[in-house]
């Protein structure tokens, strides 16, 4: 059975990454016969990403609005297009399409992190996050969880009979976007310094300052440079910190980089770094960078926590002890030195959106057999 699936997103892809799934799944979903709509804020970056990764999807645009206006715009769009499945990318004050449902459909929500566990947020914000998390359990028909931790957490909050309505589906990458030239290039970059790359939000709890501290140690041992991709509230502070540490000549901050420019930058890296901490926040979240890194078959220096464990397993040689800068530096050195002779233990194809859609489609068939009926097929007044 095929459906009309409407993804409800918010914000600009430059600042809010939860729309990545809508863009990534659109192609594989349409390939198996589903119709895909995406509700998107009108921004240049969102338009560019849609054209690059999901040109087959039907976009429905809304402007830069207040939270109340944005919710009203989304509800109006959903009434007009009458999808069979409404997929809410992240439940928040700008995505309040439930529990007062605008159309008769199956409503799915994605859990990509556990906001109430982010300890550096104001307590009032954490209370609101906690309330919204709890509201999702009764307001939605199905739950797509981006980490094993979240899948277990949500199942624990639902009646046992509804356990099948929870689906584990981590992030992924689109092969044609990440590897437009085909298989990743083997071997090192040749002469010159080794290149390390970090991609992600620049925030203290995402590890950028640990990476910079590790670079001060690493550069004393080998010729190395660091390329940093991404924005965040700590961007200016990180740039200043690099200057303070005397790293200006070996660290380059590029800010937000469009998706079509990523293959060239990631393809030139000798190794990637992804700090993960032993916190509920990091156990629960799904770092999308990991699933983009693995497309290039290079060492990923990270920690044995959360979704990293699901990808790399228990015996991965490039795990470092969380919150341990000297150990991070040591593992980075090993990864960069061994790079040319190293073979990955994972299959990049297992972490493509095509694989996620295959599993998602099978879950829909078992969790909601024979339903939802298309709105257009329901009798009037139903």
């Amino acid at each position: 059975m095929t459906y009309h699936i409407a993804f409800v997103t918010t914000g600009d892809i430059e600042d809010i990454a939860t729309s990545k799934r809508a863009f990534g799944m659109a192609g594989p979903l349409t390939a198996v016969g589903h119709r895909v709509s995406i509700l998107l804020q009108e921004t240049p970056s969102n338009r560019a990403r849609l054209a690059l990764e999901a040109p087959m999807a039907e976009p429905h645009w809304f402007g830069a609005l207040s939270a109340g206006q944005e919710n009203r715009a989304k509800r109006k769009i959903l009434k007009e297009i009458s999808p069979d499945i409404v997929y809410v990318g992240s439940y928040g004050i700008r995505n309040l399409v439930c529990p007062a449902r605008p159309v008769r459909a199956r409503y799915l929500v994605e859990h990509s992190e556990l906001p109430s566990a982010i300890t550096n947020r104001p307590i009032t914000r954490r209370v609101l996050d906690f309330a919204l998390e709890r509201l999702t359990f009764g307001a939605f028909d199905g739950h797509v969880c981006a980490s094993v931790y979240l899948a277990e957490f949500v199942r624990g909050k639902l009646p046992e009979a509804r356990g099948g309505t929870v689906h584990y589906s981590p992030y992924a990458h689109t092969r044609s976007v990440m590897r437009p030239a085909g298989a990743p290039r083997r071997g090192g970059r040749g002469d010159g310094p080794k290149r390390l790359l970090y991609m992600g939000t620049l925030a203290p709890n995402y590890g950028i300052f640990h990476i910079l501290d590790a670079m001060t140690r690493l550069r004393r041992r080998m010729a190395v440079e660091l390329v940093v991709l991404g924005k965040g509230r700590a961007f200016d502070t990180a740039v200043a910190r690099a200057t303070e540490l005397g790293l200006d000549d070996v660290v380059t901050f590029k800010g937000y980089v469009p998706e079509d420019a990523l293959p060239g930058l990631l393809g030139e890296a000798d190794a990637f770094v992804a700090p993960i901490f032993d916190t509920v926040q990091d156990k629960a979240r799904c770092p999308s960078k990991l699933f983009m890194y693995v497309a290039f078959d290079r060492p990923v220096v990270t920690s044995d926590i959360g979704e990293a464990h699901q990808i790399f397993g228990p015996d991965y040689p490039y795990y470092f002890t969380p919150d341990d800068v000297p150990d991070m530096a040591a593992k980075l050195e090993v990864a960069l030195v061994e790079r040319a002779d190293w073979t990955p233990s994972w299959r990049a194809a297992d972490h493509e959106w095509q694989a996620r859609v295959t599993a998602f489609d099978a879950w829909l068939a078992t969790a909601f057999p024979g339903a939802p009926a298309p709105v257009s097929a329901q009798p009037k007044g139903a």
Side-chain angles (χ1 to χ4, degrees):
M1 182 176 291
T2 59
Y3 303 118
H4 178 192
I5 303 172
F7 288 91
V8 180
T9 75
T10 190
D12 191 317
I13 187 69
E14 289 193 23
D15 304 308
I16 302 176
T18 52
S19 57
K20 286 183 177 181
R21 185 181 296 272
F23 291 124
M25 290 180 65
L29 282 170
T30 57
V32 295
H34 298 296
R35 175 186 169 192
V36 176
S37 295
I38 309 178
L39 280 62
L40 288 161
Q41 183 176 330
E42 174 78 68
T43 72
S45 295
N46 282 348
R47 281 196 171 275
R49 184 64 173 268
L50 182 79
L52 174 69
E53 194 168 10
M56 70 297 294
E58 301 171 23
H60 299 273
W61 303 101
F62 54 87
L65 306 169
S66 68
Q69 291 171 330
E70 184 172 327
N71 279 309
R72 286 192 291 274
K74 290 173 177 176
R75 296 174 69 83
K76 182 174 182 292
I77 292 170
L78 290 172
K79 287 179 181 179
E80 291 172 350
I81 65 176
S82 294
D84 306 314
I85 296 174
V86 176
Y87 188 116
V88 178
S90 63
Y91 197 56
I93 59 173
R94 291 182 174 273
N95 276 342
L96 294 177
V97 297
C98 272
R101 305 181 176 200
V103 293
R104 187 170 179 179
R106 290 286 186 182
Y107 285 73
L108 312 180
V109 65
E110 177 166 331
H111 303 268
S112 57
E113 60 180 350
L114 195 62
S116 63
I118 302 176
T119 56
N120 62 353
R121 291 195 184 198
I123 187 63
T124 51
R125 177 66 184 273
R126 293 183 67 191
V127 169
L128 175 61
D129 291 334
F130 180 88
L132 288 171
E133 287 164 8
R134 268 55 186 177
L135 182 60
T136 65
F137 302 145
F140 287 88
D141 302 305
H143 302 263
V144 178
C145 298
S147 70
V148 168
Y149 185 99
L150 285 171
E152 294 174 350
F153 175 83
V154 174
R155 284 194 186 97
K157 300 298 180 182
L158 296 176
E160 186 175 348
R162 292 186 58 202
T165 65
V166 178
H167 177 59
Y168 166 58
S169 181
Y171 286 129
H173 66 271
T174 298
R175 181 192 306 178
S176 62
V177 174
M178 284 291 97
R179 289 165 40 181
R185 173 174 49 83
R186 302 300 300 170
R189 295 176 60 241
D191 296 333
K194 296 291 187 178
R195 179 170 294 180
L196 177 65
L197 187 140
Y198 170 79
M199 176 173 61
T201 301
L202 300 192
N205 55 325
Y206 278 28
I208 182 59
F209 298 110
H210 288 68
I211 296 172
L212 294 176
D213 289 342
M215 275 295 293
T216 65
R217 294 170 177 268
L218 195 58
R219 72 173 306 184
R220 294 196 293 264
R221 306 174 190 170
M222 62 190 308
V224 62
E225 60 187 21
L226 168 68
V227 176
V228 179
L229 313 182
K231 301 194 306 183
R233 64 183 183 275
F235 183 90
D236 293 337
T237 308
V239 173
R241 176 65 173 163
T243 299
E244 178 186 330
L245 294 172
L247 297 173
D248 284 342
D249 60 327
V250 293
V251 178
T252 303
F253 292 90
K254 290 188 172 291
Y256 173 78
V257 175
E259 202 81 358
D260 58 356
L262 289 179
L265 289 166
L266 272 65
E268 292 178 348
D270 292 294
F272 303 110
V273 60
I276 302 178
F277 299 96
D278 190 10
T279 62
V280 172
Q281 178 190 1
D282 277 12
K283 291 174 183 176
R285 72 185 182 95
C286 181
S288 60
K289 67 176 74 66
L290 292 177
F291 300 92
M292 300 167 82
Y293 290 164
V294 299
F296 293 87
D297 290 350
R298 312 287 159 84
V300 181
V301 179
T302 186
S303 296
D304 189 12
I305 290 172
E307 290 308 291
H309 179 87
Q310 303 304 316
I311 299 173
F312 306 119
D315 301 317
Y316 184 62
Y318 303 125
Y319 285 139
F320 65 89
T321 304
D323 217 14
D324 187 332
V325 169
D327 193 35
M328 178 196 289
K331 294 303 193 299
L332 286 170
E333 181 179 12
V334 172
L336 290 167
V337 169
E338 293 180 348
R339 158 75 176 90
D341 300 321
W342 176 81
T343 301
S345 58
W346 62 81
R347 292 178 66 251
D350 293 339
H351 304 292
E352 294 176 11
W353 284 117
Q354 177 63 62
R356 303 292 184 257
V357 164
T358 299
F360 176 78
D361 209 31
W363 170 67
L364 284 180
T366 56
F368 310 108
V375 172
S376 57
Q378 295 170 351
K380 292 184 178 181

